[in-house]
């Protein structure tokens, strides 16, 4: 059994809404965006765990809270058997050597004033991972070779604006793997790239995850991609996990009406294959004032009345660690 690298228990992240002068004058009530609300899961070494859902579902916030780039409101984050939930930034330093993030936008995430060498070397310097400048240079060269920016000497003195989008995202991957982390969060790492180069970058990322035996949290809105990439998958909606299991369980045998609706929107390569039409009505509601009971009830095609409006379904194991949060389950015999 592989080692659990990261485990979250009942994680919540609420953001205080800044209100205008008149609102604060007439109302004492504070408003919160319930971005992540009572989420629990774990990721093992060498595992790719996908977090999928529409924009506004809370998946990016979850990734950032896990790395403590933002502080959780409550719940626990256990990293390699140690509770890091309340650690200060200086106490986090030894853990930062084991965790990295790859951001969505390779145009924004790389400092335009730094050379490629300095961008990749930055985590080594900031986290005191290398003992000398020559060791830093060796590690930077090796990282550039691993992401196939070769020969490395042709890239080290360039600036981000001199590279293509795909090359920049390779630099972002090199920057993440240079410290040989145990855990990486990749937030939609190819969604800003040209379709023609997405597959190459993903193939590269996953071969490196496999080679380094890293735990990867892969955040995506694209279930077609998640199906090919992830080992396990959680579907998020308005800050909550609606369904979680292996990719085969969630994608091939979806139980939750929301997962089914998302799957209905994924293109099928075989035009003769049958598909059940599932329509989700309207827009995702505001996380400031989420619907009562089941958060999906205002859009659910399987809505079964008052129980959905009043009772918040718990995430229950339907067998073999396939979890679903819906009042349709467990089915009465
Ligand atoms: Fe739909 Fe009710 Fe299940 Fe929510 S609990 S997903 S509203 S059937």
């Amino acid at each position: 059994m592989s080692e659990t690298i990261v485990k979250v228990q009942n994680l919540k992240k609420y953001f205080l809404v800044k209100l205008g002068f008149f609102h604060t004058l007439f109302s004492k009530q504070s408003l919160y965006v319930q971005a992540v609300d009572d989420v629990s899961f774990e990721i093992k070494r060498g595992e790719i765990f996908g977090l999928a859902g529409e924009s506004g579902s809370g998946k990016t916030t979850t990734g950032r809270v896990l790395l403590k780039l933002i502080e959780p409101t409550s719940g626990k984050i256990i990293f390699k058997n140690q509770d890091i939930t309340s650690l200060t930034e200086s106490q986090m330093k030894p853990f930062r050597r084991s965790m990295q993030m790859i951001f969505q936008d390779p145009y924004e995430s790389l400092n335009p004033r730094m050379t490629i060498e300095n961008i990749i070397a930055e985590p080594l310097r900031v986290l005191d991972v290398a003992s000398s400048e020559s060791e830093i240079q060796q590690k930077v060269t090796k990282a550039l070779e691993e992401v196939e920016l070769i020969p490395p000497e042709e890239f080290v003195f360039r600036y981000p604006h001199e590279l293509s989008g795909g090359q920049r995202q390779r630099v972002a991957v090199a920057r993440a793997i240079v410290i040989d982390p145990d855990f990486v969060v990749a937030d939609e790492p190819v969604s800003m790239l040209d379709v023609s180069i997405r597959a190459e970058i993903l193939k590269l990322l996953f071969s490196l995850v496999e080679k380094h035996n890293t735990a990867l949290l892969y955040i995506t809105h694209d279930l077609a991609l998640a199906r090919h990439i992830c080992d396990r998958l959680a579907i998020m909606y308005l800050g909550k996990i609606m369904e979680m299991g292996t990719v085969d369980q969630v994608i091939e045998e979806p139980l939750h009406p929301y997962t089914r609706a998302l799957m209905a929107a994924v293109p099928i390569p075989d035009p003769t294959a049958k598909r059940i039409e599932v329509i989700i009505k309207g827009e995702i509601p505001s996380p400031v004032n989420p619907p009562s009971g089941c958060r999906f009830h205002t859009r659910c095609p399987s809505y079964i009345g008052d129980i959905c409006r009043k009772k918040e379904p718990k995430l229950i194991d339907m067998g073999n660690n396939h979890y679903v949060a819906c009042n349709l389950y467990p089915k009465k015999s």
Side-chain angles (χ1 to χ4, degrees):
M1 183 65 119
S2 303
E3 171 196 8
T4 297
I5 296 295
V6 66
K7 183 172 181 173
V8 286
Q9 292 173 330
N10 309 106
L11 193 71
K12 290 189 183 186
K13 179 64 194 176
Y14 289 5
F15 295 98
L16 182 65
V17 179
K18 286 204 178 100
L19 298 165
F21 172 73
F22 286 107
H23 194 286
T24 37
L25 198 64
F26 296 114
S27 169
K28 293 263 173 285
Q29 208 188 357
S30 302
L31 292 180
Y32 292 90
V33 172
Q34 301 176 24
V36 179
D37 199 7
D38 203 8
V39 160
S40 302
F41 59 84
E42 59 180 55
I43 312 175
K44 296 193 183 296
R45 186 176 287 289
E47 183 179 46
I48 300 176
F49 183 84
L51 211 48
E54 292 167 282
S55 83
S57 60
K59 48 196 197 306
T60 293
T61 306
T62 305
R64 287 174 185 239
V65 174
L66 248 68
L67 295 182
K68 292 226 338 144
L69 300 178
I70 43 181
E71 290 299 318
T73 303
S74 64
K76 266 191 186 173
I77 308 165
I78 314 287
F79 187 76
K80 293 172 80 181
N81 285 327
Q82 295 193 59
D83 187 345
I84 61 166
T85 321
S86 314
L87 297 190
T88 61
E89 196 42 48
S90 64
Q91 290 169 325
M92 275 298 294
K93 196 167 175 182
F95 296 96
R96 294 248 172 259
R97 291 181 191 142
S98 306
M99 45 173 74
Q100 279 290 294
M101 181 151 188
I102 299 168
F103 295 92
Q104 183 177 23
D105 188 350
Y107 296 88
E108 294 252 309
S109 63
L110 305 180
N111 186 334
R113 292 190 194 85
M114 286 168 84
T115 61
I116 301 308
E117 180 180 37
N118 284 331
I119 287 170
I120 299 174
E122 192 181 31
L124 297 168
R125 294 193 173 114
V126 172
L127 301 168
D128 297 328
V129 175
S131 56
S132 64
E133 267 309 303
S134 71
E135 192 186 344
I136 289 176
Q137 274 166 20
Q138 274 172 20
K139 284 183 185 285
V140 170
T141 303
K142 187 167 167 254
L144 280 168
E145 284 169 349
E146 286 200 295
V147 298
E148 296 161 11
L149 289 175
I150 33 189
E153 56 277 16
E154 263 194 28
F155 291 91
V156 279
F157 299 119
R158 293 206 210 167
Y159 287 86
H161 74 269
E162 298 175 277
L163 304 183
S164 67
Q167 287 173 328
R168 287 180 206 213
Q169 205 55 319
R170 283 174 192 267
V171 171
V173 174
R175 188 180 191 279
I177 59 154
V178 75
I179 58 168
D180 201 9
D182 292 309
F183 178 48
V184 172
V185 174
D187 186 3
E188 307 252 21
V190 294
S191 62
M192 305 286 280
L193 300 178
D194 203 81
V195 177
S196 59
I197 51 171
R198 285 182 190 174
E200 296 172 28
I201 301 292
L202 281 178
K203 211 168 135 214
L204 172 77
L205 178 61
F206 299 122
S207 70
L208 290 172
V209 163
E210 202 176 8
K211 183 173 161 197
H212 293 261
N213 208 12
T214 314
L216 179 73
L217 176 68
Y218 186 79
I219 295 169
T220 184
H221 66 278
D222 186 340
L223 280 187
L225 259 184
R227 166 190 240 152
H228 293 294
I229 287 161
C230 302
D231 299 306
R232 283 191 307 128
L233 186 61
I235 306 291
M236 279 189 86
Y237 184 79
L238 272 182
K240 297 228 174 240
I241 291 180
M242 296 283 149
E243 184 160 3
M244 177 166 69
T246 63
V247 161
D248 284 350
Q249 288 168 336
V250 176
I251 303 262
E252 306 300 338
E253 299 156 35
L255 294 173
H256 199 283
Y258 181 54
T259 317
R260 290 196 191 142
L262 289 179
M263 283 310 299
V266 173
I268 317 179
D270 176 3
T272 61
K274 278 201 182 145
R275 157 167 285 164
I276 305 159
E277 279 292 315
V278 188
I279 311 288
I280 322 183
K281 301 170 281 182
E283 298 286 314
I284 192 164
S286 164
V288 175
N289 189 14
S292 59
C294 169
R295 290 195 176 182
F296 188 52
H297 86 251
T298 52
R299 303 171 78 198
C300 180
S302 307
Y303 178 76
I304 47 170
D306 266 6
I307 187 170
C308 296
R309 232 171 3 93
K310 291 182 181 159
K311 184 180 165 208
E312 186 182 337
K314 298 270 171 266
L315 204 57
I316 52 167
D317 186 356
M318 295 296 292
N320 300 320
N321 298 315
H322 184 182
Y323 294 87
V324 65
C326 170
N327 291 321
L328 292 172
Y329 305 98
K331 282 198 169 80
K332 293 196 176 71
S333 50

